[in-house]
Amino acid sequence: MSKIKLDDIRKELAEDNWTLVSDSYKNLDEVLTFMCSEGHTVYAPWKKIRTKRECPLCKGNAYTHHENKVVPKKK
């Protein structure tokens, strides 16, 4: 099995407008620092982020990632 390289992680994250802030990588379980597409800092292992890019701050925000879509106001 080949070792994952930082450049490979950066390329994969760039597809979803995420950024890798960490400058070293040891294994899938090591906690790395990422920046989500909204600019929030996310601390998580690559094992979790590579399967599901989920920012804890963006997760509960109804106004995140709603481009060209009208979000109805709550009554």
Side-chain angles (χ1 to χ4, degrees):
M1 191 160 126
S2 65
K3 183 167 171 87
I4 300 170
K5 297 179 180 152
L6 286 173
D7 290 334
D8 297 333
I9 295 173
R10 286 189 178 104
K11 286 178 188 175
E12 192 171 330
L13 290 170
E15 294 172 5
D16 295 324
N17 294 324
W18 278 55
T19 308
L20 176 65
V21 178
S22 297
D23 56 358
S24 65
Y25 171 79
K26 293 179 185 171
N27 58 38
L28 287 172
D29 296 316
E30 178 188 15
V31 175
L32 301 172
T33 306
F34 303 95
M35 189 170 294
C36 80
S37 59
E38 298 292 322
H40 304 125
T41 303
V42 179
Y43 301 96
W46 176 236
K47 181 182 355 182
K48 179 179 176 184
I49 296 297
R50 79 183 201 173
T51 58
K52 187 174 185 182
R53 303 216 198 328
E54 186 173 84
C55 170
L57 295 173
C58 295
K59 182 179 177 181
N61 187 349
Y63 298 103
T64 304
H65 305 294
H66 288 288
E67 298 171 9
N68 300 327
K69 183 178 178 184
V70 176
V71 178
K73 190 166 127 180
K74 292 184 180 180
K75 293 183 180 182

